Amino acid sequence: MTKKREIDDVTGVETTGHEWDGIKELNKPLPRWWLLTFYASIIWSVGYWIVYPAWPLANDYTRGIWGYSQRATVAAEVKAGIDAQAAMRQKLDQTPLADVRKDPELLRFASAAGSASFQTNCAPCHGRGAQGFTGYPNLNDDDWIWGGTVEEIHKTLLHGIRTGDDQARAIQMPKFGVDKLLDDAKINDVAEYTMSLAGKASDATAAGRGAAVYKEQCALCHGDDGKGKIDQGAPNLTDAIWLYGGTKEQVVESIRTGRGGMMPAWGPRLDSTTLKSLAVYVHSLGGGK
Amino acid sequence: MTTVLDKRHGTDATQVAGDVVVHDVEAVNKAERRPLYAARPKVHPKLASGTFRTLKWLVMAITLAVYYGLPWLRWYRGPDLPDQAVLLDMANNRYFFFFLEIWPQEFYYITGLLVLGALALFLATAVAGRVWCGYSCPQTVWTDLMVTVERFWQGDRNARIRLDKEPWRPSKIFKKVMTHLSWLFIGLVTGGALVFYFRDAPTLAVELVTGTAPAIAYLFLGIFAFSTYLLGGIAREQVCIYMCPWPRIQGAMTDRYTLLVSYKPERGEPRGPARKGKDGIVDWTTRGDCIDCKACVAVCPTGIDIRDGSQLECIQCALCIDACNEIMEKIGRPKGLIDYDTVAKQEAKSKGEHEPHKFVRARTLLYAGVMALVGAVMLVVWFNRTTLEINVLRDRNPPFVRLSDGGVRNGYTVKILNKLHEPHVYTLRPDGIPGATMRILGLEDQAEPKINVATDALREIRVLVTVPAASLSALSGTSHDFSIVVRDADTGSEKRRATSFQSGGGNTP
């Protein structure tokens, strides 16, 4: 079917023969290099279909003979990253916790690894700077309810606090008010005595009455001098740090309800190297004993 | 005799004077035919000889020797540092230039050098036009080298033109293949020399040959080998004419007093073949000195005609001066029909006046002045360069920590930069904060902690500053300014950095 070529008079260019309202379309083909590139891309795409994942199927997709997947690539990169740390991780595994800080390089590695893990796992409760919130201890300071040596911190991390784990920090302060162990007047007196222990303004008479109640009910755990006992998880009542607040009302509330926060056990969730580096990191924040 | 006798044309070749014959050549950018797009007419530069050709050989020898040889030059800096005189150590972020060593944050020295380089280029251009383009630009030097190689395998201009017109037969294939192989070899060596600037040259040379060099070295070697082959061997003058921005900029850099390679029309015109009169002597009084032999066009590496005036394509290589001088000597006319000249001088001459050469003028004084200023600033900065630096970053979260005894503690990250070429021991102390104690993490067992910083390295340490409850009242407000001082235990030199201590004003964070 040969058609006669029609040449447009004005431009001298061949027309395509298409005509709309008397206007004819000039035949201006794409540049040859462009077309060749276009065809080459089509041929290239066939190869792409074969080697790479390409076509969606009902429940799957064509995998391609190279078996490429982005997830596998990421997994390989993560593994490569961990493998690159193998020597340091092994060294950390073999070094006793207390000795980690004696090796500057190891301390730096463990602190960095611990910091990263802290941001992911611990920051939601303790804050990004480990500064804590009311009820969630500040890990930077030197006041440790359950002990501030690196080993004690590690133990707390492993088993948590009041988790039901048989090695967890489990001791719970009695709910003196809620369980009606003390009446409101006595709770008030003990609170006044507690304020006096911390050197805060208090009603001397009430505090005097509270001293007897304290000796009877509180001294066993918090100590006769009120300095607390780490093995009981009983906080120091004489210092400047108050986990649940140091006003009279907050102290009354603490005695009434017994407080007692809960921290998850991380032993079952994180690997031993990470737990170790977390302990080193928390210890290195400045308050570690 | 280097005069070209274009034998292909036989009788067409016109004798213009004595044994001087017209070159069969035309400027590639002749004003009459400048289409918007034109395929590149191949330029076959003829070998010139004379003062400027000699100068160009010399510049080529020096620049190539520096480029290929510099990475092999050694410079002892101490046992723990590389001994390569010029080394851009990307992996360790150190840049060595003989006695200079630059850390990444001191990259402004390089900026200063580049500014100086640019100003030097401006000054040179204001004084003598595109001397950079004509003599020392890598594109010019490598193109010159590639053409020399081409000439070695294929012969000079006429032989090359003939060869191009020949059908493909074994001798032509051999010559062409050998030319391209030589170009590729030069490219490889060029790329090879480049990577030596980034890694210890003797080590890398062995690695490159044994195939154990980093992949990036091979990549850059390949890129530079290919671009040298492409730009120097194939593209040549097209780079200068179409790719390089400098020809466009230089128009603003030259003025009436700039020395430019120029044809002197007042002496050369009217041009034409020198015909002898009846007495057998050319009458030079009625005509110009230009015998239109086109020797100047034949030697031009960008294939232009200098007699068309100053133009963008002219890289001012001065080879046409050599070519013309040779002809002038042959026909017994004074040299310098094409010469370094200024517009001002030419104008004066055409009016019969004499204009002395002006090197010193506002433009050159300004460039020289700015260069002196930038140079002076760089020198001052360099001589005040410290070999010990300290950076202090105060903890932002938490801003302060209240301790159980009522004292307050702030945490700081301190970075000590030892730029000396040997390990040093440093001590830290707080200054201007009464009652404060300082603790360095990991060094608590030392009474006066000694901080070892390795050669040419940075050490980051955590520092805790504690102010006991009793001293808090002595601080100025909730934010107390003080300094952390680092002292070089060996030399006693000190460096301080101001920071602040947040006491929280009795608030619990």
Side-chain angles (χ1 to χ4, degrees):
Chain A
M1 189 180 93
T2 46
K3 245 171 82 183
K4 198 171 165 255
R5 291 179 63 202
E6 191 186 6
I7 306 295
D8 175 56
D9 292 336
V10 182
T11 57
V13 173
E14 191 190 342
T15 70
T16 59
H18 304 157
E19 185 179 335
W20 293 275
D21 297 339
I23 299 170
K24 285 180 181 167
E25 184 189 30
L26 298 182
N27 185 16
K28 293 270 197 177
L30 289 162
R32 184 168 297 135
W33 67 264
W34 194 96
L35 269 179
L36 290 176
T37 312
F38 179 60
Y39 294 139
S41 323
I42 292 174
I43 294 164
W44 177 263
S45 70
V46 175
Y48 197 97
W49 298 338
I50 295 167
V51 299
Y52 281 117
W55 292 99
L57 306 174
N59 294 318
D60 199 10
Y61 56 92
T62 56
R63 304 257 167 189
I65 56 172
W66 283 0
Y68 172 81
S69 109
Q70 290 188 336
R71 185 178 289 275
T73 307
V74 171
E77 281 172 11
V78 169
K79 189 178 177 312
I82 291 173
D83 287 350
Q85 301 172 335
M88 288 305 284
R89 287 178 153 266
Q90 199 187 356
K91 197 172 170 190
L92 185 59
D93 283 339
Q94 288 164 356
T95 311
L97 264 174
D99 294 343
V100 171
R101 57 209 291 266
K102 290 177 187 158
D103 180 341
E105 200 192 0
L106 195 57
L107 175 64
R108 201 153 46 230
F109 176 78
S111 303
S115 168
S117 185
F118 187 91
Q119 298 305 331
T120 314
N121 298 301
C122 316
C125 291
H126 288 285
R128 297 189 67 79
Q131 77 277 22
F133 303 100
T134 302
Y136 300 91
N138 182 346
L139 303 175
N140 294 280
D141 64 30
D142 57 348
D143 189 29
W144 297 91
I145 298 170
W146 299 99
T149 64
V150 69
E151 286 88 357
E152 294 286 4
I153 294 169
H154 190 238
K155 190 181 172 202
T156 307
L157 269 165
L158 278 179
H159 305 292
I161 296 167
R162 303 181 189 105
T163 51
D165 182 317
D166 56 5
Q167 288 190 65
R169 321 293 199 174
I171 296 167
Q172 164 76 52
M173 173 169 158
K175 300 173 169 54
F176 288 101
V178 174
D179 291 346
K180 310 250 186 288
L181 302 174
L182 292 173
D183 59 28
D184 286 354
K186 281 188 171 164
I187 289 176
N188 182 62
D189 291 347
V190 174
E192 288 292 347
Y193 179 68
T194 308
M195 300 299 281
S196 75
L197 279 177
K200 299 192 179 203
S202 58
D203 178 345
T205 357
R209 287 196 302 273
V213 183
Y214 179 87
K215 199 150 189 162
E216 193 177 303
Q217 300 285 353
C218 316
L220 187 65
C221 293
H222 287 284
D224 289 338
D225 54 2
K227 288 199 186 299
K229 284 183 182 167
I230 278 171
D231 53 359
Q232 307 289 328
N236 184 345
L237 302 176
T238 64
D239 66 15
I241 296 168
W242 295 84
L243 180 56
Y244 291 95
T247 67
K248 165 89 183 299
E249 290 71 28
Q250 288 164 327
V251 172
V252 167
E253 187 63 12
S254 295
I255 299 169
R256 228 176 58 72
T257 61
R259 304 285 191 183
M262 188 259 182
M263 171 174 145
W266 292 94
R269 300 172 201 223
L270 302 174
D271 65 77
S272 62
T273 321
T274 306
L275 284 163
K276 216 163 169 178
S277 52
L278 265 174
V280 171
Y281 170 69
V282 170
H283 186 260
S284 76
L285 286 172
K289 302 276 182 188
Chain B
M1 284 292 104
T2 52
T3 317
V4 167
L5 298 166
D6 208 332
K7 298 220 171 64
R8 283 171 306 133
H9 292 266
T11 53
D12 293 348
T14 334
Q15 300 228 318
V16 279
D19 59 348
V20 180
V21 169
V22 178
H23 289 82
D24 180 31
V25 62
E26 201 163 70
V28 295
N29 64 341
K30 212 146 182 61
E32 300 91 78
R33 43 176 191 82
R34 280 188 182 169
L36 287 176
Y37 173 79
R40 172 201 180 208
K42 194 168 178 189
V43 180
H44 299 88
K46 178 172 156 9
L47 178 63
S49 65
T51 321
F52 294 103
R53 182 63 262 184
T54 312
L55 182 62
K56 272 172 73 73
W57 286 133
L58 195 69
V59 174
M60 188 207 260
I62 293 169
T63 49
L64 289 180
V66 167
Y67 176 75
Y68 291 115
L70 202 53
W72 299 90
L73 204 61
R74 301 289 105 182
W75 190 275
Y76 183 75
R77 296 190 177 84
D80 302 333
L81 285 160
D83 64 347
Q84 187 158 321
V86 176
L87 178 66
L88 305 166
D89 191 350
M90 297 288 186
N92 299 312
N93 279 324
R94 296 286 182 277
Y95 313 102
F96 300 99
F97 304 91
F98 299 94
F99 59 92
L100 299 188
E101 182 198 331
I102 292 175
W103 287 43
Q105 67 268 37
E106 297 169 323
F107 213 72
Y108 46 77
Y109 289 114
I110 308 279
T111 311
L113 283 177
L114 290 176
V115 169
L116 275 184
L119 287 168
L121 200 58
F122 296 173
L123 180 61
T125 307
V127 170
R130 292 168 66 181
V131 281
W132 164 259
C133 298
Y135 297 90
S136 52
C137 172
Q139 176 64 27
T140 296
V141 172
W142 261 269
T143 300
D144 219 4
L145 182 65
M146 296 303 204
V147 172
T148 308
V149 167
E150 187 182 56
R151 190 179 294 126
F152 174 80
W153 291 110
Q154 303 179 16
D156 206 358
R157 174 182 160 77
N158 290 328
R160 296 208 296 275
I161 294 174
R162 257 199 319 277
L163 189 70
D164 280 356
K165 291 197 170 158
E166 262 179 28
W168 286 97
R169 54 178 185 221
S171 67
K172 175 172 176 178
I173 293 171
F174 172 77
K175 286 176 181 171
K176 288 284 180 183
V177 166
M178 288 315 289
T179 307
H180 283 266
L181 282 181
S182 308
W183 286 349
L184 279 171
F185 174 76
I186 292 172
L188 274 177
V189 176
T190 307
L194 180 99
V195 294
F196 289 148
Y197 283 90
F198 297 89
R199 195 175 167 91
D200 186 54
T203 318
L204 183 59
V206 175
E207 288 176 342
L208 280 175
V209 175
T210 55
T212 52
I216 191 90
Y218 290 108
L219 179 71
F220 273 89
L221 194 155
I223 290 174
F224 274 78
F226 177 71
S227 51
T228 307
Y229 170 75
L230 186 71
L231 300 183
I234 314 279
R236 296 183 183 178
E237 82 285 351
Q238 303 287 297
V239 175
C240 309
I241 299 173
Y242 298 108
M243 288 168 66
C244 182
W246 186 230
R248 274 84 184 161
I249 298 167
Q250 63 133 0
M253 304 276 154
T254 57
D255 58 20
R256 299 178 71 248
Y257 305 103
T258 302
L259 277 172
L260 296 173
V261 173
S262 19
Y263 166 71
K264 297 172 180 164
E266 79 280 355
R267 197 191 124 187
E269 303 296 327
R271 68 180 86 157
R275 307 211 185 284
K276 287 172 183 163
K278 287 193 179 95
D279 48 2
I281 300 166
V282 183
D283 179 14
W284 294 104
T285 54
T286 58
R287 52 157 296 140
D289 282 351
C290 176
I291 55 171
D292 208 7
C293 66
K294 295 185 180 172
C296 52
V297 184
V299 297
C300 180
T302 65
I304 59 161
D305 189 340
I306 190 66
R307 296 171 301 170
D308 292 345
S310 177
Q311 48 205 297
L312 178 145
E313 292 88 343
C314 176
I315 60 167
Q316 305 264 317
C317 66
L319 289 178
C320 50
I321 301 181
D322 279 350
C324 190
N325 280 348
E326 205 176 335
I327 301 297
M328 288 298 117
E329 200 166 4
K330 204 166 287 172
I331 62 172
R333 301 299 298 166
K335 287 182 179 183
L337 176 58
I338 303 174
D339 207 352
Y340 273 109
D341 207 353
T342 70
V343 174
K345 275 168 131 179
Q346 284 201 4
E347 278 174 1
K349 212 171 287 171
S350 66
K351 284 186 233 150
E353 295 159 7
H354 177 70
E355 166 96 21
H357 191 69
K358 276 173 76 178
F359 277 119
V360 181
R361 48 189 202 269
R363 189 185 290 265
T364 52
L365 281 179
L366 182 71
Y367 290 145
V370 177
M371 274 176 81
L373 187 73
V374 174
V377 168
M378 282 184 67
L379 277 179
V380 168
V381 173
W382 177 256
F383 282 113
N384 288 315
R385 180 183 188 264
T386 53
T387 47
L388 165 61
E389 253 182 67
I390 174 175
N391 287 313
V392 176
L393 301 155
R394 191 173 60 74
D395 284 3
R396 302 279 161 158
N397 183 13
F400 62 93
V401 176
R402 185 165 303 285
L403 301 176
S404 51
D405 63 1
V408 174
R409 196 187 70 212
N410 278 199
Y412 304 84
T413 300
V414 175
K415 295 178 182 186
I416 301 175
L417 283 69
N418 174 20
K419 295 182 184 176
L420 294 165
H421 290 169
E422 51 197 10
H424 271 242
V425 177
Y426 300 94
T427 56
L428 274 190
R429 65 180 159 85
D431 189 36
I433 181 161
T437 54
M438 179 179 267
R439 196 176 121 202
I440 298 170
L441 219 69
L443 301 176
E444 288 94 342
D445 46 347
Q446 297 179 29
E448 197 183 335
K450 291 191 169 29
I451 307 151
N452 295 301
V453 186
T455 299
D456 204 45
L458 175 153
R459 179 159 174 197
E460 192 176 307
I461 48 174
R462 284 270 302 151
V463 171
L464 303 172
V465 175
T466 304
V467 175
S471 303
L472 282 175
S473 55
L475 300 183
S476 53
T478 54
S479 176
H480 177 89
D481 293 331
F482 76 109
S483 299
I484 289 183
V485 183
V486 61
R487 182 172 185 277
D488 187 328
D490 306 320
T491 65
S493 67
E494 287 189 344
K495 199 86 188 177
R496 58 177 56 231
R497 182 69 65 174
T499 184
S500 70
F501 185 90
Q502 308 295 316
S503 59
N507 298 319
T508 306

